[in-house]
Amino acid sequence: MEDVPHEMNAVVLDAYTGPASLRIARRAVPRPGPGQVLVKIAASPLNPSDIAFIHGTYGFRHPPPVVPGQEGAGTVVAAGEGLMGRYFLGKRVACLKMEEGDGMWAEYALASAMGGVLPLDAAVGMEQGSMSAINPMTASAFVEIARREGHRAFVMSPAAGSLGRMINRLAQLHGIHVINVVRRKAQVDLLLDLALVALNSSDEDFVERLGDACLEHECRLAFDAVAGPLTHQLLSAMPHDSRVTVFGGLSKEPASAGIEHLVFEGKSIDGFWLGPWLLKKGPLGILRLWRRAQALMSTALQSTIRERVPLEDAPHAMRAYMDQMTGGKFLLIPNMSVSS
């Protein structure tokens, strides 16, 4: 096991105002407390949840300066008190940001030994491993929810990004139809190789075509990361006793519903947040879900990498990602030099 330095490079957010408030800084390497491990980070992706975090609209926020980054992968190089921490010493893991403290956009990061680190299969590399928690587990959750409730189809919005494509591949394995909603014609074309139905929400006849697709496939469930007026459109398109599950707010507007939906048509809106959903499954349930996901990391749950960038380029990468969220993931690589 290597010596752990006293200082490291990290991406720091000085205020919850977006990419302009990101900078590189030298910080002390944190020391793991009881039930914690220290992970030497090999890679960490940019996710929609990171966009929400740096704008102060995620489920938790900390007094800045703070290190962002919801997930990553690396090697456990130190552990605090507790059997679980010692078990993970020297192991390759995917890791998730703790609710309190700093995230993964750094050379080293702390994670909880109880659910915050998950062992990577030998066949899963660090780069895919760094993207193997949030999107693959969310995709697995949505398909599990649909199957458990007996749905043979559901709507996914937006559908052209990494998560949407992942959900399409996984749903196909279980015989579930996905009605995909995107925001541009080019994104419809992007999904032609995966999806039976892909609809552009910018088209004038979008709601009518969405209603026809929901009727054809008897679709009463939608997963929506846009919110705003789109939630209202999804509710309008689906038959009575339908539900929209909101899991993001890319529109930066409240989810909208009509009185007719909620009162007279038996429709509803609820929310999904991966962390609390996983906690309800308990350690054994999480491990079973994780093992199934790891087995599919080279096929249905594989992520496309658009660009690898050093920590110093995090502000530029985040702006580029926000401008175009399709086409693959940006990966922050801590040991990558600016000139490489």
Side-chain angles (χ1 to χ4, degrees):
M1 191 174 69
E2 64 186 272
D3 294 331
V4 177
H6 294 291
E7 288 191 337
M8 65 177 182
N9 289 324
V11 178
V12 171
L13 181 72
D14 286 321
Y16 289 100
T17 55
S21 295
L22 294 171
R23 62 181 172 88
I24 193 76
R26 293 290 291 172
R27 288 169 70 94
V29 174
R31 296 302 187 235
Q36 297 178 343
V37 296
L38 180 69
V39 182
K40 183 177 182 181
I41 300 296
S44 181
L46 276 57
N47 285 315
S49 55
D50 296 311
I51 296 175
F53 182 83
I54 68 173
H55 286 92
T57 59
Y58 196 60
F60 49 76
R61 56 191 293 175
H62 318 299
V66 62
V67 178
Q70 299 298 317
E71 69 175 331
T75 303
V76 175
V77 294
E81 295 179 6
L83 290 176
M84 286 302 294
R86 290 198 292 274
Y87 167 79
F88 282 111
L89 265 176
K91 288 183 168 57
R92 300 163 61 256
V93 296
C95 44
L96 290 164
K97 181 187 181 302
M98 295 187 294
E99 186 169 337
E100 298 295 329
D102 289 329
M104 303 295 154
W105 292 358
E107 292 183 288
Y108 293 86
L110 291 178
S112 170
M114 296 295 294
V117 286
L118 295 161
L120 293 176
D121 284 357
V124 178
M126 286 293 197
E127 291 187 347
Q128 285 296 319
S130 74
M131 303 176 285
S132 65
I134 292 178
N135 278 357
M137 298 287 260
T138 299
S140 299
F142 288 176
V143 171
E144 180 178 308
I145 290 168
R147 295 181 69 200
R148 185 180 66 233
E149 297 178 0
H151 296 280
R152 299 177 64 183
F154 60 80
V155 180
M156 176 65 195
S157 174
S162 296
L163 176 60
R165 294 174 66 82
M166 198 175 285
I167 285 171
N168 273 273
R169 292 192 295 262
L170 187 61
Q172 285 178 6
L173 293 179
H174 295 282
I176 297 174
H177 295 290
V178 181
I179 299 170
N180 295 275
V181 175
V182 297
R183 289 174 282 183
R184 295 188 297 275
K185 182 184 183 303
Q187 294 174 330
V188 173
D189 298 337
L190 186 66
L191 285 170
L192 289 179
D193 62 328
L194 280 177
L196 294 175
V197 182
L199 304 175
N200 182 357
S201 62
S202 300
D203 290 343
E204 290 185 3
D205 61 348
F206 164 67
V207 175
E208 180 182 353
R209 294 180 63 199
L210 179 60
D212 291 343
C214 289
L215 180 63
E216 178 184 354
H217 295 287
E218 300 180 354
C219 177
R220 287 182 165 82
L221 175 64
F223 295 103
D224 175 26
V226 178
L230 182 62
T231 308
H232 190 286
Q233 292 177 316
L234 295 174
L235 287 169
S236 297
M238 292 191 293
H240 284 59
D241 302 313
S242 297
R243 182 178 85 249
V244 175
T245 295
V246 178
F247 68 102
L250 293 174
S251 68
K252 298 183 173 62
E253 297 181 49
S256 175
I259 295 299
E260 70 278 10
H261 300 142
L262 306 178
V263 177
F264 303 116
E265 298 175 3
K267 298 175 182 179
S268 62
I269 302 173
D270 65 4
F272 175 89
W273 193 9
L274 180 62
W277 186 85
L278 287 173
L279 288 176
K280 290 179 182 178
K281 298 185 75 64
L284 290 179
I286 293 173
L287 187 58
R288 284 194 293 268
L289 187 67
W290 176 251
R291 285 175 174 169
R292 291 198 297 268
Q294 287 282 286
L296 295 172
M297 284 303 299
S298 63
T299 53
L301 298 181
Q302 186 176 43
S303 296
T304 301
I305 299 169
R306 190 192 323 180
E307 190 173 339
R308 299 167 180 84
V309 298
L311 294 178
E312 291 86 349
D313 284 352
H316 168 75
M318 179 54 82
R319 284 190 289 267
Y321 180 54
M322 290 171 60
D323 287 342
Q324 176 59 268
M325 296 178 67
T326 58
K329 290 288 189 181
F330 284 89
L331 281 188
L332 295 181
I333 310 294
N335 62 356
M336 180 178 179
S337 66
V338 178
S339 60
S340 64

